[in-house]
Amino acid sequence: MFASMVLAAALFFTVGGIFIKLSEGLTKFWPTLIVFALFVIGAALQTLAMKREDLAVTNLWVVGLESILAFAFGVLLFSESCTPARIAGVALIAGGIVSLRSAY
């Protein structure tokens, strides 16, 4: 349950980030409206995930997953660069968030 909640929260935040880019500095109405709607849903899901987990673990899982998803979407949707150094950074983030959860 925890993993699905934080993954969903991270996904909503990441897609919200895509709409931030599409809103061109919050100057386009519909993308801006979608940004705020997605961020509210993401925050609600993160809040539910945090119900029985530590603040630090939950927040870092959401932010870590959001970072990984943002990297993947950036590469896939916006043709951003995918260098070995960036892949190594993503691997470090993934390792970090897994180690946080397994430290119990």
Side-chain angles (χ1 to χ4, degrees):
M1 184 70 152
F2 173 81
S4 61
M5 291 290 238
V6 295
L7 180 59
L11 189 58
F12 276 97
F13 285 134
T14 304
V15 175
I18 291 168
F19 278 92
I20 286 175
K21 191 167 181 80
L22 297 174
S23 75
E24 296 180 11
L26 303 179
T27 61
K28 293 186 174 182
F29 179 76
W30 289 111
T32 298
L33 188 66
I34 293 169
V35 165
F36 289 107
L38 291 171
F39 279 12
V40 166
I41 295 168
L45 289 168
Q46 184 175 350
T47 301
L48 293 172
M50 201 177 295
K51 192 173 183 179
R52 291 187 182 94
E53 295 291 336
D54 293 343
L55 167 70
V57 172
T58 305
N59 195 51
L60 289 170
W61 261 75
V62 171
V63 171
L65 289 172
E66 182 184 357
S67 299
I68 294 167
L69 290 169
F71 172 76
F73 286 160
V75 169
L76 296 172
L77 299 177
F78 299 108
S79 301
E80 295 176 356
S81 63
C82 181
T83 65
R86 287 185 176 190
I87 293 170
V90 168
L92 286 171
I93 292 168
I97 60 175
V98 168
S99 71
L100 279 171
R101 185 77 164 125
S102 63
Y104 284 94

